[in-house]
Amino acid sequence: MSTSETAVRERLTRALHERGEEIADRWVELQMEQALLDTDIGEAELREEADALIEALVPGLRSGVPVDRVVTSTPGLHEAVVGLSMRRARAGATPTATSLAVLALKEALLKAVQRDTRDAEELFASAVFMNRLLDVAGALSFETYVDGREEIIRRQSQQLMEQSTPVVRLWRQVLAVPLIGTLDTARTQVVMENLLQAIQDHEALVAIIDITGVPTVDTAVAQHLMQTVNAVRLMGADCVISGVRPSIAQTIAQLGIDLSTILTRATLADALAAAIKLIDGPGPDGDEGDGR
């Protein structure tokens, strides 16, 4: 580390120690003035973020780590930037606004340094150092935001899929899954996991998969249905597919898809009646037993 860089680090550290509150106030002010938020994040939360980041900068500057690695190598500083970015992602701020908010700290820091020196060379060296330091923080905040937002979207999509494929208890030891829309690989996995867990929880003996709301059944959809049926059977339960409309029956026949090993019914009511028979068997007069 050069003598000039050491002097810059000491100058910035001193400014953070002596004017930390002033720097934090100015940084919050800049974010609000430049409209970098467009979220419901309040001034108090901004100040908490500022205090945490400014406090974490001091050990980073003292660490002796090259300036380009200070942000990523200092645990507290790295966590402060990541935490700020994740909060902005959850609040709905844009990644650009999040990155610019971090970069706005440059101006607040430089103004504090100007209180100690008016020397042009010292100010220039400080500005260059801060650019290198905080550009990494801005890039990290952008990357963290994007990754965090993708994770939020994936989690929300997973929740939507789970809500769109509820497992319903229709009768004692009889469950049903009403499917609506396309049955792809990801959704099949959700359906399978939810259904198998429900079979275990309710000690179900029959699971009805209702495809009334499935617009078309092609080879891929049929394969997904077979996977689910096989998984249900491995749990020791029978499976009935309901909602097989004439158009779907015709398509299945034309495609040559073999569903002969699976019990199918035209309506959910017919499937429930068949499920009750599977559990209780026919009554003395051929009627279904009372499975309640």
Side-chain angles (χ1 to χ4, degrees):
M1 187 186 303
S2 65
T3 304
S4 60
E5 182 175 324
T6 300
V8 169
R9 287 177 181 252
E10 291 176 353
R11 191 178 302 118
L12 288 175
T13 301
R14 184 167 58 251
L16 289 167
H17 265 306
E18 297 176 356
R19 297 188 172 87
E21 291 189 7
E22 177 185 321
I23 295 170
D25 288 339
R26 180 56 181 159
W27 186 27
V28 171
E29 183 181 332
L30 285 169
Q31 293 181 74
M32 301 184 74
E33 283 179 358
Q34 297 173 14
L36 295 176
L37 297 175
D38 194 26
T39 68
D40 58 355
I41 296 177
E43 185 174 349
E45 187 171 352
L46 291 178
R47 181 54 193 263
E48 288 180 8
E49 291 177 346
D51 290 339
L53 191 55
I54 288 170
E55 183 181 352
L57 273 170
V58 174
L61 291 172
R62 288 176 170 171
S63 65
V65 174
V67 60
D68 297 329
R69 299 207 306 269
V70 168
V71 173
T72 54
S73 301
T74 308
L77 185 54
H78 183 274
E79 290 173 8
V81 175
V82 169
L84 180 152
S85 303
M86 289 300 295
R87 283 190 293 274
R88 304 296 171 93
R90 287 191 290 267
T94 66
T96 300
T98 302
S99 182
L100 289 175
V102 174
L103 296 178
L105 179 57
K106 293 179 183 180
E107 182 178 335
L109 271 172
L110 187 59
K111 185 175 181 180
V113 171
Q114 285 178 322
R115 297 291 186 89
D116 291 333
T117 179
R118 292 290 178 176
D119 184 273
E121 290 187 4
E122 291 181 354
L123 289 174
F124 178 75
S126 298
V128 170
F129 184 90
M130 283 187 290
N131 279 335
R132 294 176 63 190
L133 174 70
L134 294 177
D135 282 351
V136 175
L140 175 61
S141 69
F142 190 96
E143 180 183 348
T144 300
Y145 178 102
V146 172
D147 292 343
R149 197 66 181 165
E150 288 178 354
E151 177 59 29
I152 290 171
I153 292 172
R154 281 195 295 269
R155 189 163 57 247
Q156 290 174 340
S157 298
Q158 179 77 7
Q159 291 171 348
L160 285 174
M161 278 198 296
E162 290 176 355
Q163 291 174 0
S164 65
T165 53
V167 179
V168 183
R169 183 175 181 272
L170 295 182
W171 203 265
R172 178 178 56 84
Q173 296 180 308
V174 178
L175 302 175
V177 182
L179 298 179
I180 300 174
T182 303
L183 188 64
D184 56 16
T185 302
R187 195 165 180 217
T188 300
Q189 186 65 29
V190 173
V191 170
M192 194 180 300
E193 290 176 358
N194 291 349
L195 182 54
L196 297 183
Q197 185 61 50
I199 288 173
Q200 179 178 345
D201 293 342
H202 296 283
E203 298 181 350
L205 296 178
V206 181
I208 300 172
I209 301 176
D210 184 71
I211 61 171
T212 303
V214 178
T216 58
V217 174
D218 55 17
T219 304
V221 172
Q223 289 176 346
H224 292 317
L225 287 173
M226 289 297 297
Q227 290 173 4
T228 305
V229 170
N230 290 336
V232 169
R233 287 173 173 171
L234 287 173
M235 292 288 291
D238 288 315
C239 198
V240 182
I241 296 180
S242 65
V244 182
R245 304 183 301 279
S247 59
I248 289 181
Q250 186 176 3
T251 300
I252 291 174
Q254 290 173 346
L255 292 174
I257 300 171
D258 184 15
L259 298 181
S260 60
T261 59
I262 304 173
L263 184 61
T264 60
R265 290 293 183 270
T267 67
L268 182 58
D270 292 339
L272 177 57
I276 295 172
K277 284 184 179 180
L278 287 173
I279 294 174
D280 295 337
D285 298 322
D287 297 327
E288 298 88 345
D290 183 6
R292 295 178 189 272

